[in-house]
């Protein structure tokens, strides 16, 4: 599968089969995250792999009652202790963890495993539940599992609405 095929394959999945992810496939997903680039190659991240059913159940409340969170056999929680903002004034941890999770989700898509990025969660509640050490910030949460739904193909803005060549005022015809 090409990178573009994986990009096209990935959709947010919000219903999961009651079927575990094979360890070998889970490790491939984690490897994709491990190999992701990070600011000054700090790799200041931890990937917390939640498989315990009781913890997954409790994660639902920490994730704004999104019930499908506990359906998934794996819930990935990405956190980082890099608190630095880069020169561009963006937090390195947010960007680093976001790239890592994007890589993981694309690798999962290639393996036929669904995922859904979650931004609706309480970072302190997730950190408390998973005993994440002080200093680490929870950046992203994503369930992973075999899909129990096709997922909807969501529309995207046309290229001309989002791409600007050269200086903003320049018009190219
Ligand atoms: C940063 C971010 C936060 C998101 N938070 C949630 C969420 O809390 N719950 C949810 O069901 N989907 C969430 N989504 C999924 C988006 O709704 C979804 O990516 C978008 O509608 C496009 O659909 P697609 O992923 O199927 O292409 C989030 C996606 C991103 C990138």
């Amino acid at each position: 599968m090409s990178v573009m095929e994986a990009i096209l394959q990935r959709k947010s999945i919000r219903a999961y089969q009651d079927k575990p992810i094979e360890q070998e496939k889970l490790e491939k997903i984690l490897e994709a995250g491990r190999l992701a680039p990070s600011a000054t190659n700090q790799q200041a991240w931890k990937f917390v792999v939640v498989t315990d059913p009781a913890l997954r159940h409790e994660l639902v409340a920490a994730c704004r009652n999104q019930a499908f969170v506990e359906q998934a056999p794996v819930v990935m929680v990405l956190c980082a202790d890099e608190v630095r903002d880069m020169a561009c004034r963006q937090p390195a941890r947010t960007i680093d963890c976001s790239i890592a999770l994007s890589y993981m989700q694309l690798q999962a898509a290639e393996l036929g495993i669904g995922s859904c990025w979650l931004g609706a969660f309480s970072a302190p509640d997730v950190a408390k539940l998973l005993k994440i050490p002080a200093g680490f910030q929870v950046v992203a949460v994503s369930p992973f599992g075999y899909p129990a739904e096709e997922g909807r193909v969501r529309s995207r803005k046309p290229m001309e609405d989002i791409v600007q060549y050269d200086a903003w005022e320049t018009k190219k015809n």
Side-chain angles (χ1 to χ4, degrees):
M1 186 179 275
S2 70
V3 173
M4 185 52 81
E5 283 166 343
I7 289 170
L8 291 167
Q9 169 87 6
R10 190 215 58 82
K11 284 176 260 168
S12 289
I13 296 299
R14 299 181 178 89
Y16 295 92
Q17 294 175 35
D18 184 17
K19 176 182 166 185
I21 297 176
E22 298 83 346
Q23 186 62 26
E24 177 195 311
K25 291 187 181 172
L26 178 57
E27 282 171 17
K28 219 168 165 188
I29 292 168
L30 289 164
E31 179 70 350
R34 191 182 74 85
L35 295 175
S38 61
T40 60
N41 202 24
Q42 287 290 303
Q43 306 161 67
W45 47 41
K46 289 279 184 193
F47 309 148
V48 184
V49 184
V50 184
T51 57
D52 177 66
L55 285 175
R56 279 161 38 211
H57 177 70
E58 290 198 61
L59 271 175
V60 172
C63 296
R64 298 277 184 90
N65 294 317
Q66 300 185 85
F68 61 89
V69 171
E70 69 172 314
Q71 256 186 23
V74 169
V75 184
M76 200 73 75
V77 176
L78 289 89
C79 50
D81 66 351
E82 170 65 85
V83 293
R84 184 177 55 98
D85 282 355
M86 296 176 288
C88 62
R89 299 171 70 179
Q90 299 296 327
R93 62 181 174 279
T94 309
I95 293 182
D96 293 348
C97 287
S98 297
I99 298 169
L101 182 54
S102 298
Y103 276 34
M104 288 187 203
Q105 291 193 329
L106 290 177
Q107 177 58 83
E110 195 215 358
L111 297 169
I113 293 166
S115 61
C116 184
W117 197 298
L118 299 185
F121 63 85
S122 157
D125 289 357
V126 172
K128 189 173 171 203
L129 177 66
L130 301 176
K131 300 186 170 52
I132 290 170
F136 276 85
Q137 201 163 356
V138 180
V139 173
V141 175
S142 175
F144 283 87
Y146 286 98
E149 64 170 10
E150 282 234 343
R152 248 175 79 203
V153 176
R154 304 291 302 265
S155 67
R156 294 295 193 265
K157 291 180 179 177
M159 201 69 93
E160 59 268 28
D161 284 8
I162 58 170
V163 176
Q164 170 67 53
Y165 284 94
D166 302 322
W168 200 285
E169 296 302 322
T170 309
K171 194 145 178 116
K172 283 211 166 145
N173 291 311

